[in-house]
Each structure stands twice: as structure tokens, then as C-alpha cells.
Amino acid sequence: SSELTQDPAVSVALGQTVRITCQGDSLRSYYASWYQQKPGQAPVLVIYGKNNRPSGIPDRFSGSSSGNTASLTITGAQAEDEADYYCNSRDSSGNHAVFGGGTKLTVL
Amino acid sequence: QVQLQQWGAGLLKPSETLSLTCAVYGGSFSGYYWSWIRQPPGKGLEWIGEINHSGSTNYNPSLKSRVTISVDTSKNQFSLKLSSVTAADTAVYYCARAITSVAWYYYGMDVWGQGTTVTVSS
């Protein structure tokens, strides 16, 4: 079982704001990173660290963290944001990486 | 622009050893951790393990007894071997570059290979 827990599915109306969350004890010590994966494609890193976006990632994607919960927020969701989103961090020992189970985002 | 290109056998029989290689083009090999991740059909991502340019490795505890990750710095390549495969090892396998701060304070995989579909079937 994953040490990071995500809601299996979330939906958002076009243009609205959505928050996808990830819970785990190790998130008290380590920041989460977030990945977007569309069908048949490799994952793409969208957020890492406190709130860092790799080059090319729109600024509507942002990250935050509080206690044992990390969040990915999409402000003004677009149709192209419909995808699976995975959180990722280290386990409590720091020696291993772990992924959350993934959240399927539907843009209505 | 760093690119990862991976290759290896796509069809294996039970008990055989999976072998994949990932080549790094267009960037430094040192200063990063180089990772393997897999995704069974219709399921989520699973971290397999990682290696740095010095050969220091970390493995998923659930796979550790069967996994070996190695590095060839002369070729800017790293490789995955997974022994005694079963149908449960059927998945798309990805290689990726991991960026991290000291002590993993922040961590993320910012460059990914194209993925290799590996099927285990008798």
C-alpha cells in the first residue's frame, strides 16, 4: 500500500479552481512533487519543492503544504488539464521514493 | 535539452530477467539521481529504485531482492535488471532524472524516458 494517499477522482468546472491533495506522514519532513499524466504519455513534472514550476508549466499550477498534507491547486482549470495527477515524495526514512495512488481529474 | 532514451526486451517468459538501459543525452550525468519507475496496465506509478553517478543506490523494499540498478558513466547510461519476473511485473517501465536537494528536502523527477512496455507471458 502507498504511504501517500490521494483521492481517486476529482472534477472541476471549466475555468474554476480545483485542489488535489496528498496525505502522508513523510510530508511533514519532505516536500511533495506533482506529476500530470495523460493517456499513453509519460508523466510530466508540474510542481516540486515548496512551490517550484519547471520551465513550460503554466502558472495556473501551484503547490502548497501544511502538516501531513500537500496540495496541488489549478486556478482556472482548462480542458487540457484533464489528466491523472500523482504526488511523489520520500518515505519517512528518506531512503526511498513513494508515489500516491493518483487522482483522475475531470474538467466538466 | 536533456533527453533520456531507453530500450530493452519487451516480451519475457516467467522466471526470466528483465533488462533495460537508459541513455542520457544533452546534459550532465553527475549531480542527479537516475531512477526507474513502472506502471502496470491501468494502475498507478511505482518507484523501483535509483542510482547516482557514483553508483550509490536505493531500492524499493518490496522489489529489493530482485532488482539491480547499475551505471556506466563512460557512456552516460544506467540500467535496470529485475530477476525472476512474473506476470505481476508486466508494466510500462520508465527511466527518469531526479533532482534533489541535500537530504531530499525537495525532490522531483523532471526528465522522463519514453517508456518501454514489458509483458511477461508464457
Side-chain angles (χ1 to χ4, degrees), chain A residues 30-86:
Chain A
Y30 306 104
Y31 283 116
S33 52
W34 291 92
Y35 305 83
Q36 176 191 72
Q37 187 181 34
K38 297 180 179 179
Q41 297 182 18
V44 173
L45 179 68
V46 295
I47 292 289
Y48 69 98
K50 188 174 183 179
N51 183 19
N52 300 303
R53 282 178 288 106
S55 175
I57 302 301
D59 60 6
R60 63 179 180 271
F61 290 89
S62 62
S64 61
S65 183
S66 178
N68 72 336
T69 301
S71 300
L72 172 70
T73 300
I74 306 174
T75 304
Q78 302 300 303
E80 60 265 31
D81 298 335
E82 186 163 290
D84 293 327
Y85 289 86
Y86 293 91

Side-chain angles (χ1 to χ4, degrees), chain A residues 29-33 35 37 41-45 48-49 86 88-90 94-101, chain B residues 37 39 43-47 50 58-61 94 99 103-110 112-115:
Chain A
S29 303
Y30 306 104
Y31 283 116
S33 52
Y35 305 83
Q37 187 181 34
Q41 297 182 18
V44 173
L45 179 68
Y48 69 98
Y86 293 91
N88 167 231
S89 187
R90 307 299 289 191
N95 293 328
H96 314 107
V98 290
F99 284 96
Chain B
I37 303 96
Q39 186 170 35
K43 296 189 178 181
L45 301 169
E46 180 180 31
W47 178 78
E50 65 196 0
N58 293 305
Y59 297 132
N60 186 322
Y94 295 100
I99 52 175
W104 311 105
Y105 187 53
Y106 73 78
Y107 165 82
M109 287 173 267
D110 67 334
W112 291 66
Q114 77 275 21

Side-chain angles (χ1 to χ4, degrees), chain A residues 8-31:
Chain A
V10 171
S11 62
V12 62
L14 184 67
Q16 297 302 301
T17 296
V18 62
R19 177 174 292 182
I20 299 170
T21 61
C22 174
Q23 289 189 304
D25 287 342
S26 67
L27 298 180
R28 298 182 185 277
S29 303
Y30 306 104
Y31 283 116

